Amino acid sequence: MQSRGNNKKIQMSKYMVYIVLAVVFVFFAITLRDNGFASTQNLLNILRQTAMISIMSVAGVFVLSAGQIDLTVGSNTAMSAMLVALVLKSTNNIFLALIVALIFGVAVGVINGLLVTRLGLPAFLATLGMMQVIRGAAMWITNTEAVPISNTVFNTIFGTGFVGPISVLILWTILFYILGYILFNRTPFGKHTLATGGNQMAAQYSGIKVQRIKMYVFMLSGALSAFAGVLYAGRMQSGRYSFGDGDEMSVIASVVLGGASMAGGSGSMIGALAGSILMGMISNALILANLSSAQQKMVNGFIIIAAVALSNLAQRKKSN
């Protein structure tokens, strides 16, 4: 009887993000009905605005499931956007700009992975240091000035374009979640990632190369962060050092709200998407309610605290 009760609690925790998402939506739809919160246009706008966080959260599921953390995602997006803008300014070659950005993102992931697997640094401290290095480099290479992008084809494909009423940013999000879901739930890599985060010692004894798994999840995080930077550049039609500022916390909160544990060993791709939409929905509602940027930061801070608290609570229920 006790185990059955615990299973019900665990199942309830898995669906918590969807329940909260539905409750928050209904609440804002009623309180902000005069502001058009529940209109189709605004809901599509929320999905468009959260696209970059959502895409980075795909990799975030792998990172947290492996028991790691990556604080470089925000600074990585900024530097990647700057590189895209600089390459386009010099060559106007879209393919080359994409390759440069993605190579940079993967390189950041490799460095993070080496710091964790070879030097044995805690992921939090290693990526915290790298975050400062990359953000500083993004500020330094153009002396904090924005680099405009005049290539309309690039901007349309990666930011400002629409297919009917649907933004290309939403379409990119759907594509990455389909691929992420398959990779996480239908391949040995996803299972090995969960095993690495759940019990590293047991994973090693079962033949899983846990250090390699950690390296791969950091590389994946770097690549998707770089692509998010490409989308930032396309949407804003420029590269700016300030892109992605604070996104690392939003990604972590989205993934944890979606059912991942900060301790590793669990995660949900669909849950992470729901978590990112929830974060975007709240941010959108706060703007419609005319709250100041300072008040919005406070609310986002409370959301992050709540996400970690829910993660710890779910972890305790599983262990009991």
Side-chain angles (χ1 to χ4, degrees):
M1 291 294 291
Q2 186 175 357
S3 61
R4 184 179 298 177
N6 288 339
N7 288 335
K8 287 182 178 180
K9 290 179 181 179
I10 293 172
Q11 291 296 325
M12 188 68 177
S13 67
K14 287 184 178 180
Y15 298 113
M16 183 61 67
V17 65
Y18 309 110
I19 297 172
V20 173
L21 181 63
V23 171
V24 168
F25 172 76
V26 172
F27 173 76
F28 285 133
I30 294 174
T31 58
L32 296 174
R33 59 183 178 276
D34 295 335
N35 301 77
F37 173 81
S39 66
T40 301
Q41 181 178 357
N42 187 58
L43 294 179
L44 289 174
N45 189 44
I46 291 173
L47 295 177
R48 180 174 62 88
Q49 291 175 337
T50 58
M52 282 68 82
I53 296 296
S54 296
I55 289 174
M56 286 187 281
S57 295
V58 171
V61 173
F62 287 90
V63 172
L64 263 69
S65 295
Q68 305 301 306
I69 192 169
D70 187 359
L71 299 180
T72 64
V73 295
S75 56
N76 195 343
T77 62
M79 190 63 174
S80 299
M82 295 291 287
L83 291 174
V84 165
L86 289 171
V87 173
L88 288 174
K89 183 179 179 180
S90 300
T91 68
N92 207 35
N93 188 316
I94 296 176
F95 180 74
L96 180 60
L98 289 174
I99 292 299
V100 169
L102 291 176
I103 288 176
F104 173 78
V106 173
V108 170
V110 170
I111 294 172
N112 287 337
L114 290 174
L115 291 174
V116 172
T117 61
R118 296 296 176 86
L119 297 184
L121 299 180
F124 179 86
L125 295 178
T127 58
L128 177 64
M130 282 297 296
M131 176 184 73
Q132 299 292 343
V133 171
I134 299 169
R135 182 72 67 180
M139 298 172 67
W140 174 65
I141 59 175
T142 60
N143 197 25
T144 71
E145 294 181 0
V147 180
I149 298 175
S150 58
N151 189 310
T152 55
V153 175
F154 173 84
N155 292 332
T156 300
I157 295 174
F158 296 103
T160 61
F162 283 81
V163 178
I166 310 298
S167 168
V168 292
L169 295 175
I170 298 176
L171 297 179
W172 281 116
T173 302
I174 294 172
L175 173 63
F176 276 101
Y177 268 91
I178 292 174
L179 296 175
Y181 181 87
I182 294 172
L183 186 62
F184 188 69
N185 295 283
R186 298 287 186 265
T187 68
F189 175 62
K191 296 176 182 178
H192 293 174
T193 298
L194 287 168
T196 298
N199 190 324
Q200 181 171 316
M201 188 69 69
Q204 285 179 316
Y205 282 133
S206 65
I208 296 174
K209 300 184 182 300
V210 296
Q211 303 292 27
R212 186 179 297 177
I213 292 295
K214 292 178 185 178
M215 178 66 75
Y216 286 163
V217 298
F218 279 117
M219 291 171 64
L220 179 63
S221 181
L224 293 195
S225 299
F227 193 82
V230 172
L231 298 183
Y232 266 118
R235 181 188 174 196
M236 305 305 293
Q237 302 178 47
S238 64
R240 299 175 185 270
Y241 78 90
S242 58
F243 287 166
D245 186 25
D247 280 3
E248 55 279 345
M249 293 296 103
S250 296
V251 169
I252 293 171
S254 298
V255 176
V256 172
L257 284 169
S261 168
M262 294 291 291
S266 66
S268 168
M269 197 60 65
I270 304 302
L273 177 60
S276 66
I277 293 174
L278 175 61
M279 296 283 290
M281 186 181 295
I282 293 173
S283 296
N284 178 268
L286 297 180
I287 294 172
L288 292 178
N290 294 319
L291 268 69
S292 67
S293 58
Q295 292 170 320
Q296 293 175 40
K297 283 185 176 294
M298 291 173 62
V299 173
N300 286 331
F302 283 124
I303 294 172
I304 292 171
I305 293 172
V308 177
L310 285 173
S311 174
N312 289 341
L313 183 61
Q315 194 67 22
R316 289 177 185 174
K317 288 180 178 180
K318 290 180 181 180
S319 61
N320 290 338

